Amino acid sequence: MAERPFIVGNWKMNGTRSMLSEARAIDRASQRLMKVEVALAPPYTLIHAVHKEVEQIGVGAQDCHPAEGTAHTGDVSAAMVLDAGAKFVILGHSERRQGHGEDDSMVKSKAASAIAAGLRIIICCGESEAVRDAGEEESFVLGQIRASLPDDLDNAAATLTIAYEPIWAIGTGKTPSAENVGAMHRAIRALLVQLYGEEHGAAVRILYGGSVKPDNALELLGADEVGGALVGGASLTAESFLGIVLAAAELPE
Ligand code: PGA
């Protein structure tokens, strides 16, 4: 059975307490849009505050450290974000892969530790412009997913979400066509079915991310095998984020 669309706002390194009113507005409106699962991933500093503000929407983290509580100055463990109110964590975002040198094996160990702590995971993947120009995007993305997923995922459908985010589409206003998104998502679906079997593999949601806005959301969300969106810039105000949530609510069930 198809799950509700999942629309996740990734606030990245944005957000002070003055933005809690946006979270509140998103939450209130989402209470009337139960056909859509809505969540926000604020920076660590706001996880607990957003969690306290909202009733309906989910709250998640943008990253976590792979180790349990030990001597890692400046880092935050999976158990700590869970304690702050997060229910999920985004892992392997291209900004972490590029800006912090995270490779697939690092993402994999973070995923294992997040699941052990009781968090759901959103694993990000996506090719650069050069990889797409070379026509290698599909093998690149599938390779990234294979190498980033933890071994032994008991209940993939309940634990795992994949976010396909072509790097060249993030924050640029450029997006792939709905056909290209659908082709990539079908390839990811086939891999998930191969890894987790028909039932679980078919139920894992695959989000599209990269310049999703209210005016292109319906088209991108309507592409084949798209189960929602990971939204950066357009998640920073309730007005634009809710435009995307509303588009998701319009999708045929
Ligand atoms: P964007 O970011 O919507 O601003 O392109 C998406 C993301 O990086 O998750």
Side-chain angles (χ1 to χ4, degrees), residues 3 6 115 119-123 145 149-162 188-189 191-206:
E3 273 268 19
F6 190 23
I115 289 168
L119 292 166
R120 290 162 60 194
I121 56 172
I122 299 178
I123 301 272
I145 297 174
L149 286 175
D151 304 321
D152 320 322
L153 211 50
D154 268 353
N155 186 345
T159 319
L160 173 67
T161 299
I162 300 285
I188 295 172
R189 174 68 66 212
L191 173 63
L192 293 170
V193 167
Q194 186 191 329
L195 292 173
Y196 301 118
E198 190 57 55
E199 192 191 339
H200 282 285
V204 172
R205 280 178 297 193
I206 310 169

mmCIF file of all heavy atoms in Angstrom, residues 3 6 115 119-123 145 149-162 188-189 191-206:
data_model
loop_
_atom_site.group_PDB
_atom_site.id
_atom_site.type_symbol
_atom_site.label_atom_id
_atom_site.label_comp_id
_atom_site.label_asym_id
_atom_site.label_seq_id
_atom_site.Cartn_x
_atom_site.Cartn_y
_atom_site.Cartn_z
ATOM 1 N N GLU A 3 2.288 4.662 0.914
ATOM 2 C CA GLU A 3 2.298 5.506 2.111
ATOM 3 C C GLU A 3 1.871 6.924 1.736
ATOM 4 O O GLU A 3 1.931 7.305 0.566
ATOM 5 C CB GLU A 3 3.730 5.568 2.643
ATOM 6 C CG GLU A 3 4.072 4.439 3.570
ATOM 7 C CD GLU A 3 3.805 4.826 5.013
ATOM 8 O OE1 GLU A 3 3.053 5.785 5.260
ATOM 9 O OE2 GLU A 3 4.378 4.161 5.886
ATOM 10 N N PHE A 6 5.607 12.204 1.911
ATOM 11 C CA PHE A 6 6.414 12.669 3.044
ATOM 12 C C PHE A 6 7.137 13.936 2.587
ATOM 13 O O PHE A 6 7.954 13.878 1.654
ATOM 14 C CB PHE A 6 7.398 11.545 3.383
ATOM 15 C CG PHE A 6 8.182 11.704 4.654
ATOM 16 C CD1 PHE A 6 7.754 12.507 5.706
ATOM 17 C CD2 PHE A 6 9.380 10.989 4.816
ATOM 18 C CE1 PHE A 6 8.485 12.606 6.881
ATOM 19 C CE2 PHE A 6 10.120 11.079 5.989
ATOM 20 C CZ PHE A 6 9.681 11.889 7.016
ATOM 21 N N ILE A 115 19.985 3.944 13.713
ATOM 22 C CA ILE A 115 18.937 2.917 13.849
ATOM 23 C C ILE A 115 19.034 2.246 15.223
ATOM 24 O O ILE A 115 18.021 2.019 15.888
ATOM 25 C CB ILE A 115 19.060 1.890 12.706
ATOM 26 C CG1 ILE A 115 18.632 2.556 11.399
ATOM 27 C CG2 ILE A 115 18.199 0.660 12.974
ATOM 28 C CD1 ILE A 115 18.968 1.777 10.163
ATOM 29 N N LEU A 119 16.209 5.840 15.790
ATOM 30 C CA LEU A 119 15.808 6.876 14.826
ATOM 31 C C LEU A 119 15.482 6.262 13.475
ATOM 32 O O LEU A 119 16.076 5.254 13.079
ATOM 33 C CB LEU A 119 16.967 7.869 14.619
ATOM 34 C CG LEU A 119 17.346 8.757 15.800
ATOM 35 C CD1 LEU A 119 18.702 9.411 15.544
ATOM 36 C CD2 LEU A 119 16.281 9.821 16.056
ATOM 37 N N ARG A 120 14.558 6.866 12.758
ATOM 38 C CA ARG A 120 14.393 6.555 11.333
ATOM 39 C C ARG A 120 15.489 7.308 10.585
ATOM 40 O O ARG A 120 15.987 8.331 11.060
ATOM 41 C CB ARG A 120 13.012 7.025 10.847
ATOM 42 C CG ARG A 120 11.862 6.205 11.396
ATOM 43 C CD ARG A 120 10.533 6.949 11.264
ATOM 44 N NE ARG A 120 10.207 7.257 9.889
ATOM 45 C CZ ARG A 120 9.251 8.135 9.522
ATOM 46 N NH1 ARG A 120 8.554 8.789 10.439
ATOM 47 N NH2 ARG A 120 8.990 8.348 8.258
ATOM 48 N N ILE A 121 15.839 6.809 9.409
ATOM 49 C CA ILE A 121 16.917 7.468 8.658
ATOM 50 C C ILE A 121 16.441 7.887 7.267
ATOM 51 O O ILE A 121 15.633 7.206 6.650
ATOM 52 C CB ILE A 121 18.172 6.556 8.530
ATOM 53 C CG1 ILE A 121 17.818 5.208 7.888
ATOM 54 C CG2 ILE A 121 18.828 6.362 9.880
ATOM 55 C CD1 ILE A 121 19.039 4.357 7.560
ATOM 56 N N ILE A 122 16.965 9.030 6.844
ATOM 57 C CA ILE A 122 16.784 9.468 5.451
ATOM 58 C C ILE A 122 18.182 9.489 4.843
ATOM 59 O O ILE A 122 19.031 10.295 5.250
ATOM 60 C CB ILE A 122 16.156 10.868 5.361
ATOM 61 C CG1 ILE A 122 14.773 10.885 6.011
ATOM 62 C CG2 ILE A 122 16.076 11.317 3.893
ATOM 63 C CD1 ILE A 122 14.087 12.256 6.017
ATOM 64 N N ILE A 123 18.446 8.578 3.938
ATOM 65 C CA ILE A 123 19.770 8.507 3.305
ATOM 66 C C ILE A 123 19.728 9.281 1.987
ATOM 67 O O ILE A 123 18.884 9.014 1.131
ATOM 68 C CB ILE A 123 20.154 7.039 2.989
ATOM 69 C CG1 ILE A 123 20.176 6.201 4.267
ATOM 70 C CG2 ILE A 123 21.470 6.974 2.231
ATOM 71 C CD1 ILE A 123 21.471 6.186 5.000
ATOM 72 N N ILE A 145 23.959 4.313 -2.874
ATOM 73 C CA ILE A 145 22.937 3.759 -1.964
ATOM 74 C C ILE A 145 23.410 2.414 -1.404
ATOM 75 O O ILE A 145 23.368 2.191 -0.186
ATOM 76 C CB ILE A 145 21.584 3.592 -2.680
ATOM 77 C CG1 ILE A 145 21.050 4.957 -3.113
ATOM 78 C CG2 ILE A 145 20.571 2.899 -1.781
ATOM 79 C CD1 ILE A 145 19.788 4.897 -3.960
ATOM 80 N N LEU A 149 23.923 2.118 2.814
ATOM 81 C CA LEU A 149 22.896 1.479 3.641
ATOM 82 C C LEU A 149 23.530 0.561 4.679
ATOM 83 O O LEU A 149 24.494 -0.131 4.388
ATOM 84 C CB LEU A 149 21.966 0.648 2.760
ATOM 85 C CG LEU A 149 20.982 1.433 1.902
ATOM 86 C CD1 LEU A 149 20.215 0.484 0.996
ATOM 87 C CD2 LEU A 149 20.013 2.203 2.790
ATOM 88 N N PRO A 150 22.962 0.547 5.873
ATOM 89 C CA PRO A 150 23.484 -0.378 6.871
ATOM 90 C C PRO A 150 23.160 -1.814 6.469
ATOM 91 O O PRO A 150 22.191 -2.056 5.759
ATOM 92 C CB PRO A 150 22.740 0.013 8.146
ATOM 93 C CG PRO A 150 21.528 0.728 7.687
ATOM 94 C CD PRO A 150 21.816 1.325 6.349
ATOM 95 N N ASP A 151 23.972 -2.767 6.926
ATOM 96 C CA ASP A 151 23.656 -4.181 6.691
ATOM 97 C C ASP A 151 22.427 -4.501 7.542
ATOM 98 O O ASP A 151 22.040 -3.742 8.364
ATOM 99 C CB ASP A 151 24.839 -5.055 7.152
ATOM 100 C CG ASP A 151 26.119 -4.624 6.448
ATOM 101 O OD1 ASP A 151 26.067 -4.297 5.253
ATOM 102 O OD2 ASP A 151 27.173 -4.596 7.122
ATOM 103 N N ASP A 152 21.845 -5.596 7.377
ATOM 104 C CA ASP A 152 20.733 -6.080 8.223
ATOM 105 C C ASP A 152 19.759 -4.992 8.612
ATOM 106 O O ASP A 152 19.800 -4.505 9.734
ATOM 107 C CB ASP A 152 21.222 -6.676 9.561
ATOM 108 C CG ASP A 152 22.469 -7.482 9.393
ATOM 109 O OD1 ASP A 152 22.558 -8.167 8.378
ATOM 110 O OD2 ASP A 152 23.334 -7.400 10.274
ATOM 111 N N LEU A 153 18.930 -4.598 7.712
ATOM 112 C CA LEU A 153 17.871 -3.668 8.077
ATOM 113 C C LEU A 153 16.620 -4.519 8.282
ATOM 114 O O LEU A 153 16.073 -5.043 7.332
ATOM 115 C CB LEU A 153 17.684 -2.681 6.925
ATOM 116 C CG LEU A 153 17.236 -1.284 7.243
ATOM 117 C CD1 LEU A 153 18.079 -0.675 8.340
ATOM 118 C CD2 LEU A 153 17.336 -0.433 5.987
ATOM 119 N N ASP A 154 16.202 -4.639 9.537
ATOM 120 C CA ASP A 154 15.092 -5.539 9.859
ATOM 121 C C ASP A 154 13.807 -5.156 9.153
ATOM 122 O O ASP A 154 13.152 -5.955 8.533
ATOM 123 C CB ASP A 154 14.798 -5.473 11.359
ATOM 124 C CG ASP A 154 15.578 -6.513 12.076
ATOM 125 O OD1 ASP A 154 16.201 -7.324 11.374
ATOM 126 O OD2 ASP A 154 15.575 -6.496 13.310
ATOM 127 N N ASN A 155 13.446 -3.885 9.321
ATOM 128 C CA ASN A 155 12.187 -3.436 8.739
ATOM 129 C C ASN A 155 12.470 -2.197 7.904
ATOM 130 O O ASN A 155 12.292 -1.068 8.349
ATOM 131 C CB ASN A 155 11.178 -3.147 9.847
ATOM 132 C CG ASN A 155 9.816 -2.831 9.258
ATOM 133 O OD1 ASN A 155 9.697 -2.555 8.066
ATOM 134 N ND2 ASN A 155 8.800 -2.862 10.088
ATOM 135 N N ALA A 156 12.924 -2.432 6.676
ATOM 136 C CA ALA A 156 13.360 -1.325 5.824
ATOM 137 C C ALA A 156 12.242 -0.316 5.623
ATOM 138 O O ALA A 156 12.454 0.891 5.666
ATOM 139 C CB ALA A 156 13.830 -1.869 4.480
ATOM 140 N N ALA A 157 11.025 -0.821 5.428
ATOM 141 C CA ALA A 157 9.922 0.086 5.100
ATOM 142 C C ALA A 157 9.659 1.072 6.233
ATOM 143 O O ALA A 157 9.320 2.229 6.000
ATOM 144 C CB ALA A 157 8.671 -0.722 4.791
ATOM 145 N N ALA A 158 9.816 0.625 7.471
ATOM 146 C CA ALA A 158 9.515 1.495 8.604
ATOM 147 C C ALA A 158 10.690 2.390 8.980
ATOM 148 O O ALA A 158 10.508 3.433 9.604
ATOM 149 C CB ALA A 158 9.122 0.641 9.814
ATOM 150 N N THR A 159 11.878 1.992 8.614
ATOM 151 C CA THR A 159 13.078 2.682 9.109
ATOM 152 C C THR A 159 13.695 3.630 8.101
ATOM 153 O O THR A 159 14.277 4.641 8.460
ATOM 154 C CB THR A 159 14.162 1.627 9.449
ATOM 155 O OG1 THR A 159 13.558 0.529 10.074
ATOM 156 C CG2 THR A 159 15.240 2.212 10.329
ATOM 157 N N LEU A 160 13.571 3.260 6.842
ATOM 158 C CA LEU A 160 14.399 3.895 5.816
ATOM 159 C C LEU A 160 13.582 4.745 4.854
ATOM 160 O O LEU A 160 12.518 4.336 4.384
ATOM 161 C CB LEU A 160 15.111 2.785 5.023
ATOM 162 C CG LEU A 160 15.904 3.184 3.788
ATOM 163 C CD1 LEU A 160 17.124 4.026 4.183
ATOM 164 C CD2 LEU A 160 16.351 1.940 3.015
ATOM 165 N N THR A 161 14.127 5.917 4.543
ATOM 166 C CA THR A 161 13.660 6.740 3.427
ATOM 167 C C THR A 161 14.903 7.075 2.616
ATOM 168 O O THR A 161 15.975 7.301 3.182
ATOM 169 C CB THR A 161 13.009 8.040 3.944
ATOM 170 O OG1 THR A 161 11.879 7.705 4.755
ATOM 171 C CG2 THR A 161 12.555 8.938 2.818
ATOM 172 N N ILE A 162 14.760 7.098 1.306
ATOM 173 C CA ILE A 162 15.863 7.525 0.442
ATOM 174 C C ILE A 162 15.512 8.912 -0.090
ATOM 175 O O ILE A 162 14.351 9.173 -0.418
ATOM 176 C CB ILE A 162 16.036 6.554 -0.760
ATOM 177 C CG1 ILE A 162 16.335 5.125 -0.298
ATOM 178 C CG2 ILE A 162 17.092 7.071 -1.732
ATOM 179 C CD1 ILE A 162 17.734 4.888 0.209
ATOM 180 N N ILE A 188 16.033 3.229 -8.464
ATOM 181 C CA ILE A 188 16.238 3.088 -7.010
ATOM 182 C C ILE A 188 15.231 2.078 -6.443
ATOM 183 O O ILE A 188 15.565 1.235 -5.609
ATOM 184 C CB ILE A 188 16.117 4.461 -6.306
ATOM 185 C CG1 ILE A 188 17.244 5.392 -6.770
ATOM 186 C CG2 ILE A 188 16.133 4.296 -4.784
ATOM 187 C CD1 ILE A 188 17.113 6.835 -6.296
ATOM 188 N N ARG A 189 13.999 2.158 -6.931
ATOM 189 C CA ARG A 189 12.977 1.210 -6.457
ATOM 190 C C ARG A 189 13.394 -0.228 -6.757
ATOM 191 O O ARG A 189 13.277 -1.115 -5.902
ATOM 192 C CB ARG A 189 11.624 1.517 -7.141
ATOM 193 C CG ARG A 189 10.526 0.510 -6.824
ATOM 194 C CD ARG A 189 10.077 0.574 -5.373
ATOM 195 N NE ARG A 189 9.430 1.839 -5.122
ATOM 196 C CZ ARG A 189 9.460 2.485 -3.937
ATOM 197 N NH1 ARG A 189 10.091 1.965 -2.906
ATOM 198 N NH2 ARG A 189 8.863 3.644 -3.790
ATOM 199 N N LEU A 191 16.326 -1.407 -7.060
ATOM 200 C CA LEU A 191 17.394 -1.806 -6.129
ATOM 201 C C LEU A 191 16.818 -2.134 -4.748
ATOM 202 O O LEU A 191 17.204 -3.135 -4.128
ATOM 203 C CB LEU A 191 18.433 -0.670 -6.011
ATOM 204 C CG LEU A 191 19.515 -0.876 -4.958
ATOM 205 C CD1 LEU A 191 20.377 -2.100 -5.276
ATOM 206 C CD2 LEU A 191 20.401 0.364 -4.830
ATOM 207 N N LEU A 192 15.890 -1.325 -4.274
ATOM 208 C CA LEU A 192 15.313 -1.571 -2.946
ATOM 209 C C LEU A 192 14.555 -2.895 -2.901
ATOM 210 O O LEU A 192 14.621 -3.629 -1.908
ATOM 211 C CB LEU A 192 14.385 -0.407 -2.554
ATOM 212 C CG LEU A 192 15.087 0.936 -2.317
ATOM 213 C CD1 LEU A 192 14.060 2.057 -2.169
ATOM 214 C CD2 LEU A 192 15.989 0.874 -1.081
ATOM 215 N N VAL A 193 13.861 -3.209 -3.982
ATOM 216 C CA VAL A 193 13.126 -4.484 -4.032
ATOM 217 C C VAL A 193 14.120 -5.645 -4.044
ATOM 218 O O VAL A 193 13.924 -6.657 -3.358
ATOM 219 C CB VAL A 193 12.185 -4.514 -5.254
ATOM 220 C CG1 VAL A 193 11.653 -5.918 -5.513
ATOM 221 C CG2 VAL A 193 11.021 -3.540 -5.052
ATOM 222 N N GLN A 194 15.207 -5.442 -4.767
ATOM 223 C CA GLN A 194 16.241 -6.483 -4.801
ATOM 224 C C GLN A 194 16.851 -6.685 -3.403
ATOM 225 O O GLN A 194 17.074 -7.803 -2.957
ATOM 226 C CB GLN A 194 17.313 -6.031 -5.791
ATOM 227 C CG GLN A 194 18.411 -7.018 -6.084
ATOM 228 C CD GLN A 194 19.537 -6.310 -6.858
ATOM 229 O OE1 GLN A 194 19.295 -5.369 -7.630
ATOM 230 N NE2 GLN A 194 20.748 -6.736 -6.644
ATOM 231 N N LEU A 195 17.054 -5.588 -2.690
ATOM 232 C CA LEU A 195 17.701 -5.686 -1.374
ATOM 233 C C LEU A 195 16.764 -6.163 -0.273
ATOM 234 O O LEU A 195 17.166 -6.906 0.614
ATOM 235 C CB LEU A 195 18.262 -4.314 -0.958
ATOM 236 C CG LEU A 195 19.438 -3.773 -1.751
ATOM 237 C CD1 LEU A 195 19.746 -2.333 -1.315
ATOM 238 C CD2 LEU A 195 20.674 -4.649 -1.551
ATOM 239 N N TYR A 196 15.501 -5.700 -0.320
ATOM 240 C CA TYR A 196 14.617 -5.933 0.828
ATOM 241 C C TYR A 196 13.378 -6.759 0.510
ATOM 242 O O TYR A 196 12.517 -6.941 1.372
ATOM 243 C CB TYR A 196 14.182 -4.583 1.429
ATOM 244 C CG TYR A 196 15.364 -3.758 1.873
ATOM 245 C CD1 TYR A 196 15.634 -2.528 1.296
ATOM 246 C CD2 TYR A 196 16.242 -4.233 2.848
ATOM 247 C CE1 TYR A 196 16.738 -1.788 1.679
ATOM 248 C CE2 TYR A 196 17.340 -3.504 3.236
ATOM 249 C CZ TYR A 196 17.585 -2.286 2.649
ATOM 250 O OH TYR A 196 18.676 -1.566 3.030
ATOM 251 N N GLY A 197 13.280 -7.201 -0.739
ATOM 252 C CA GLY A 197 12.116 -8.013 -1.113
ATOM 253 C C GLY A 197 10.959 -7.135 -1.549
ATOM 254 O O GLY A 197 10.955 -5.916 -1.324
ATOM 255 N N GLU A 198 9.976 -7.773 -2.163
ATOM 256 C CA GLU A 198 8.875 -7.039 -2.794
ATOM 257 C C GLU A 198 8.137 -6.170 -1.778
ATOM 258 O O GLU A 198 7.935 -4.975 -2.004
ATOM 259 C CB GLU A 198 7.934 -8.074 -3.436
ATOM 260 C CG GLU A 198 6.871 -7.497 -4.329
ATOM 261 C CD GLU A 198 7.442 -6.655 -5.479
ATOM 262 O OE1 GLU A 198 8.287 -7.156 -6.246
ATOM 263 O OE2 GLU A 198 7.024 -5.491 -5.591
ATOM 264 N N GLU A 199 7.778 -6.734 -0.645
ATOM 265 C CA GLU A 199 6.917 -5.990 0.270
ATOM 266 C C GLU A 199 7.623 -4.772 0.876
ATOM 267 O O GLU A 199 7.152 -3.639 0.789
ATOM 268 C CB GLU A 199 6.446 -6.927 1.394
ATOM 269 C CG GLU A 199 5.343 -6.328 2.218
ATOM 270 C CD GLU A 199 5.073 -7.135 3.485
ATOM 271 O OE1 GLU A 199 5.440 -8.333 3.524
ATOM 272 O OE2 GLU A 199 4.519 -6.556 4.422
ATOM 273 N N HIS A 200 8.783 -4.988 1.478
ATOM 274 C CA HIS A 200 9.493 -3.884 2.123
ATOM 275 C C HIS A 200 10.117 -2.940 1.110
ATOM 276 O O HIS A 200 10.069 -1.716 1.258
ATOM 277 C CB HIS A 200 10.582 -4.418 3.057
ATOM 278 C CG HIS A 200 10.019 -4.918 4.344
ATOM 279 N ND1 HIS A 200 9.590 -4.072 5.329
ATOM 280 C CD2 HIS A 200 9.794 -6.169 4.787
ATOM 281 C CE1 HIS A 200 9.121 -4.779 6.333
ATOM 282 N NE2 HIS A 200 9.228 -6.064 6.031
ATOM 283 N N GLY A 201 10.701 -3.519 0.076
ATOM 284 C CA GLY A 201 11.367 -2.689 -0.933
ATOM 285 C C GLY A 201 10.396 -1.763 -1.630
ATOM 286 O O GLY A 201 10.747 -0.643 -1.998
ATOM 287 N N ALA A 202 9.160 -2.217 -1.792
ATOM 288 C CA ALA A 202 8.164 -1.389 -2.482
ATOM 289 C C ALA A 202 7.617 -0.303 -1.573
ATOM 290 O O ALA A 202 7.043 0.675 -2.048
ATOM 291 C CB ALA A 202 7.028 -2.273 -2.994
ATOM 292 N N ALA A 203 7.770 -0.465 -0.262
ATOM 293 C CA ALA A 203 7.148 0.484 0.669
ATOM 294 C C ALA A 203 8.111 1.574 1.163
ATOM 295 O O ALA A 203 7.680 2.526 1.807
ATOM 296 C CB ALA A 203 6.575 -0.274 1.860
ATOM 297 N N VAL A 204 9.394 1.447 0.861
ATOM 298 C CA VAL A 204 10.343 2.496 1.276
ATOM 299 C C VAL A 204 10.059 3.741 0.436
ATOM 300 O O VAL A 204 9.965 3.663 -0.787
ATOM 301 C CB VAL A 204 11.802 2.041 1.027
ATOM 302 C CG1 VAL A 204 12.781 3.185 1.271
ATOM 303 C CG2 VAL A 204 12.144 0.843 1.902
ATOM 304 N N ARG A 205 9.920 4.880 1.089
ATOM 305 C CA ARG A 205 9.640 6.083 0.308
ATOM 306 C C ARG A 205 10.922 6.671 -0.282
ATOM 307 O O ARG A 205 11.967 6.693 0.379
ATOM 308 C CB ARG A 205 8.906 7.118 1.152
ATOM 309 C CG ARG A 205 7.425 6.755 1.226
ATOM 310 C CD ARG A 205 6.644 7.707 2.069
ATOM 311 N NE ARG A 205 7.108 7.662 3.441
ATOM 312 C CZ ARG A 205 6.450 8.212 4.448
ATOM 313 N NH1 ARG A 205 5.332 8.852 4.234
ATOM 314 N NH2 ARG A 205 6.910 8.128 5.676
ATOM 315 N N ILE A 206 10.819 7.113 -1.508
ATOM 316 C CA ILE A 206 11.949 7.732 -2.195
ATOM 317 C C ILE A 206 11.572 9.189 -2.457
ATOM 318 O O ILE A 206 10.660 9.468 -3.242
ATOM 319 C CB ILE A 206 12.261 7.014 -3.528
ATOM 320 C CG1 ILE A 206 12.372 5.496 -3.327
ATOM 321 C CG2 ILE A 206 13.538 7.585 -4.141
ATOM 322 C CD1 ILE A 206 12.406 4.702 -4.641
#
